[in-house]
Amino acid sequence: MHIEPPCSPPLAPRYRSLYVPLMDSKATPFDSDALGSRRAIIRRNPDDMAEIEMIEAVWGSNPRFADGVRYEFIRSEGRQFPGHRCLVAASEFHIRNGEKKFRAFREDGNFFYLAAIWEPAMGEWPVSYRIITLDANPDVIRYQARHGAIIERRDAQKWLDFAVPEAELLVTPPADIFTIEEILAKPVQTSLAF
């Protein structure tokens, strides 16, 4: 006989799967200048909550319901995310600071997930998602005040299954987790040309 732990959503232990951490989700750089671009997200299938699926979604909410403004981020502070959770695999994320652009990536080369929420398709607007943000960690704070909430690969299932409270997963990462490099607009000449 299986007994649910107290205060646990009915989804969590019953549908546990090892599929997400092992999924090849083609982690690529997450570019904050790419609003409206399509990207793979990982979520629970709304028609079969036992299934985890990877689908294509548009980054940014439907502007039709927000006075023509498309929102691409949502702050984590003071909020709960009881449904529509998803993950966006990323090898790095980009930062714009004035005219300069930087990339933040893991020193160990590991990819990670950005915590997000998805919104269903409405009319002509496709399935979309918004990235959940939190205060920037010490590596990033010199460039911008916030960044996407990082979900480690080992915690991906916990995020999708509501297995732990948001406050345990949506935390600012410690210092020295990211390396920050400037993205040069023009190629750098590596040899002398005559």
Side-chain angles (χ1 to χ4, degrees), residues 13-104:
R14 204 174 324 162
Y15 297 111
R16 184 121 8 243
S17 162
L18 296 176
Y19 186 57
V20 169
L22 302 175
M23 182 182 284
D24 177 18
S25 54
K26 300 289 184 193
T28 58
F30 188 83
D31 188 353
S32 57
D33 288 339
L35 180 60
S37 63
R38 293 179 176 272
R39 192 171 178 106
I41 64 168
I42 301 164
R43 68 176 188 174
R44 286 267 173 211
N45 181 343
D47 298 323
D48 179 4
M49 294 302 281
E51 179 186 33
I52 293 173
E53 64 181 1
M54 185 184 313
I55 65 164
E56 187 177 74
V58 170
W59 182 34
S61 62
N62 187 339
R64 180 176 173 201
F65 298 102
D67 294 327
V69 177
R70 184 186 308 173
Y71 292 99
E72 61 267 16
F73 298 108
I74 184 168
R75 289 177 167 261
S76 62
E77 294 85 4
R79 294 183 188 238
Q80 292 184 334
F81 302 97
H84 291 232
R85 290 182 181 183
C86 65
L87 296 164
V88 179
S91 58
E92 63 187 57
F93 59 89
H94 294 175
I95 302 165
R96 181 165 297 283
N97 188 321
E99 294 297 314
K100 293 184 177 184
K101 194 169 182 179
F102 300 87
R103 63 190 279 254

Side-chain angles (χ1 to χ4, degrees), residues 129-167:
Y129 68 95
R130 291 185 284 160
I131 299 293
I132 298 170
T133 66
L134 40 69
D135 290 334
N137 86 328
D139 307 326
V140 177
I141 196 76
R142 294 176 290 164
Y143 304 93
Q144 65 185 29
R146 303 183 67 77
H147 62 68
I150 305 298
I151 302 290
E152 298 291 347
R153 289 172 25 198
R154 68 180 171 271
D155 294 327
Q157 199 69 43
K158 293 175 188 173
W159 175 250
L160 293 176
D161 284 350
F162 308 89
V164 297
E166 288 98 336

